[in-house]
Amino acid sequence: MGNMFHKLTKVEKEECLVKIEFYTNSKKLFLNKDFCLAQLSEETGITGHKISYLINAEFRLNFNDYVNLKRIQYLLENINAPILKNLSIEKMSLICGFGSRASCFRALRKHKGKSLKHFK
């Protein structure tokens, strides 16, 4: 199945990636802990298979890692902002779209190699 996506032109790939990034970032879809590939597909009009292929091919990430990186970026950009500043780590994790504090910690360790305390 991956072979059919290799035939996408550079322009087609770029258009799809821009659309994926636009919908994911502008609507902050990743803040929903239940955000999934099917939702992104519905939002963008791009098939789930194509989204998965493009994220893997262009970012070298699977969909879950892509989403978790978006959540981490949001967390780190807002860690000292009023929206998160005085919250418990548990509440911060949930606001950023993680299902739990533990899943937030795992993602931070995996993608940044550090704990949340390092960034506070």
Side-chain angles (χ1 to χ4, degrees):
M1 172 171 12
N3 289 343
M4 67 189 220
F5 297 123
H6 290 291
K7 294 178 183 173
L8 289 172
T9 67
K10 186 175 181 173
V11 171
E12 289 170 323
K13 285 181 184 178
E14 192 60 38
E15 286 173 356
C16 288
L17 288 167
V18 165
K19 207 175 207 184
I20 290 166
E21 285 282 287
F22 173 77
Y23 278 93
T24 303
N25 294 328
S26 69
K27 291 190 171 192
K28 296 191 180 0
L29 299 172
F30 56 88
L31 295 180
N32 175 354
K33 76 177 180 68
D34 298 319
F35 179 54
C36 65
L37 190 55
Q39 283 178 287
L40 186 56
S41 176
E42 189 175 311
E43 287 284 337
T44 61
I46 303 168
T47 67
H49 290 297
K50 190 184 283 187
I51 291 171
S52 184
Y53 167 78
L54 289 168
I55 289 172
N56 188 283
E58 298 300 316
F59 303 126
R60 302 282 182 240
L61 298 168
N62 66 39
F63 180 75
N64 288 332
D65 285 341
Y66 171 78
V67 171
N68 282 339
L69 267 176
K70 296 291 182 188
R71 291 171 175 156
I72 289 168
Q73 287 172 329
Y74 181 82
L75 172 64
L76 297 180
E77 287 170 6
N78 293 287
I79 200 161
N80 292 312
I83 190 169
L84 299 179
K85 189 174 185 169
N86 297 316
L87 298 177
S88 68
I89 292 172
E90 182 77 26
K91 287 204 189 283
M92 264 189 233
S93 299
L94 296 175
I95 286 173
C96 293
F98 291 102
S100 69
R101 174 183 166 162
S103 62
C104 177
F105 283 1
R106 276 192 303 276
L108 274 166
R109 284 251 180 242
K110 180 176 184 176
H111 297 290
K112 298 295 182 185
K114 298 179 171 123
S115 70
L116 187 57
K117 289 180 184 178
H118 176 81
F119 298 102
K120 279 198 119 203

